[in-house]
Amino acid sequence: MPQQPAAPPALDVIHRLVPSPAGRVHLVEQGSGPLVLLVHGFPESWYSWRHQLPVLAAAGYRAVAVDVRGYGRSSRPEGADAYRMRELVEDAAAVVRALGEESAVVVGHDWGSGIAAHSALLRPDVFRAAGLLSVPYAPPGGPRPSDLFAELGGGDAEFYVSYFQEPGRAEAEIEPDVRGWLAGFYAALSADTMPAPDAPDPHFVSRGGTLRDRFPGGRLPGWLGAGDLDVYAGEFERTGMTGALNRYRALDRDWEDLAGHAGAPVRQPSLFIGGALDASTVWMSDAVKAFPDTLPGLVSSHILDGCGHWVQQERPEDVNRLLTEWLAALPAAD
């Protein structure tokens, strides 16, 4: 069962805007000590780390959760090319510099997991360790992403990543009812509300339909109170969805940009936490099995039974314990 209250917690945090290559990054900070940079995924914000910020601060860390480029109060440049992985890595490095630090541990969930892993890969001078939640590290290389995701569909269905590719298409589904769409999306990937195994898979869109057609109806997941949903919906109602969706639209550019790093491992100390019921973890089980080669510095890997995709929100006590234990075992920052 979810381990958090239904109401948003009261956070004694500092909000900042710091310069980045795109203009600015909005971040939320709590505590002092070694820097731990927290990077969210889709469709979230800094707020997805609300349960980790106070715990990390109490454990003696400077916990900083960002709004990724395209989200919240961070800059939202136009065009999908501005959302390539290299750009997001440089945003992360810019936050470390702007906070007056030389290095950081980076922890990410969902797309943030990819940003964390590639930050460690591309900027080992800045990022001394990487924690990955939900999405395991898979080195650059392999087939062109758009070709791969097109194959995952079929005659009667389209994979959601392919559905997100055409500018304006997903926006037309989501933006007329952001709050309702988010509620359904969060529920579809949560352990206590996801569709039954024999129901249509919510990661696919029926031809001529919408992603929302396959979302479960009814109650919110236990980890998501009405106030939490208001926070998320309020941000996307203000910003629109294009900045968030552009990350998906930059995948082929990443494939080109990172070709020189094909097969490259992340060597820094690392951590993986996934949900046993999370499609991101289950579908990428081969990537988890490859960790001895792809994450040679892996300290520990954990699959949480009965947990869906939103691991740090569905199971905050478990994630907080695993994070703080891992952080405490890392070599001290130089």
Side-chain angles (χ1 to χ4, degrees):
M1 293 295 292
Q3 297 175 340
Q4 52 267 64
L11 295 177
D12 182 19
V13 297
I14 298 170
H15 290 257
R16 298 185 192 274
L17 294 174
V18 300
S20 75
R24 68 182 182 277
V25 168
H26 170 244
L27 60 85
V28 175
E29 176 180 358
Q30 190 169 13
S32 61
L35 177 60
V36 180
L37 187 66
L38 304 169
V39 187
H40 67 82
F42 175 88
E44 301 176 278
S45 73
W46 73 267
Y47 187 75
S48 66
W49 300 103
R50 62 195 177 280
H51 301 293
Q52 284 66 54
L53 287 163
V55 171
L56 293 176
Y61 298 97
R62 186 181 187 185
V64 173
V66 299
D67 279 338
V68 173
R69 177 186 299 213
Y71 290 79
R73 284 188 256 167
S74 293
S75 291
R76 299 188 301 278
E78 293 185 6
D81 279 358
Y83 296 83
R84 291 145 52 203
M85 185 60 75
R86 283 190 179 275
E87 302 289 337
L88 301 178
V89 167
E90 288 310 310
D91 282 350
V95 168
V96 177
R97 289 193 301 269
L99 293 175
E101 303 284 355
E102 300 259 332
S103 67
V105 174
V106 60
V107 179
H109 169 254
D110 184 76
W111 269 123
S113 176
I115 296 169
H118 285 85
S119 293
L121 176 68
L122 300 177
R123 294 300 306 269
D125 56 317
V126 176
F127 298 101
R128 61 188 182 92
L132 315 179
L133 276 59
S134 293
V135 178
Y137 174 61
R144 183 183 294 272
S146 58
D147 296 337
L148 176 64
F149 292 125
E151 291 176 2
L152 290 176
D156 60 348
E158 181 179 16
F159 192 52
Y160 79 100
V161 178
S162 297
Y163 176 68
F164 284 168
Q165 292 302 304
E166 181 184 342
R169 185 181 178 198
E171 288 93 328
E173 173 187 345
I174 303 168
E175 291 179 353
D177 178 19
V178 169
R179 193 177 193 278
W181 192 92
L182 290 175
F185 190 79
Y186 296 145
L189 307 186
S190 297
D192 59 336
T193 49
M194 63 177 52
D198 59 350
D201 191 328
H203 296 88
F204 292 84
V205 180
S206 299
R207 298 294 176 183
T210 65
L211 202 60
R212 187 173 185 167
D213 294 338
R214 299 187 177 203
F215 292 167
R219 64 189 177 93
L220 295 177
W223 62 267
L224 183 71
D228 299 317
L229 181 57
D230 287 343
V231 173
Y232 287 125
E235 288 293 82
F236 288 112
E237 285 167 351
R238 181 175 57 81
T239 65
M241 298 299 299
T242 297
L245 290 163
N246 273 341
R247 172 83 279 271
Y248 293 91
R249 296 165 184 162
L251 284 169
D252 282 352
R253 286 300 307 271
D254 291 343
W255 183 75
E256 297 166 358
D257 289 345
L258 301 173
H261 297 273
V266 170
R267 300 190 179 279
Q268 295 94 316
S270 57
L271 167 74
F272 177 71
I273 306 172
L277 302 178
D278 181 6
S280 298
T281 301
V282 173
W283 289 348
M284 297 185 71
S285 59
D286 287 347
V288 175
K289 293 175 184 176
F291 280 169
D293 297 319
T294 61
L295 294 177
L298 184 70
V299 174
S300 60
S301 178
H302 309 270
I303 305 296
L304 304 181
D305 289 339
C307 183
H309 181 65
W310 319 102
V311 288
Q312 79 270 32
Q313 299 178 85
E314 291 188 50
R315 300 282 286 276
E317 293 175 9
D318 291 333
V319 170
N320 289 344
R321 174 178 54 82
L322 294 171
L323 276 178
T324 53
E325 290 175 353
W326 172 66
L327 290 166
L330 293 176
D334 295 335

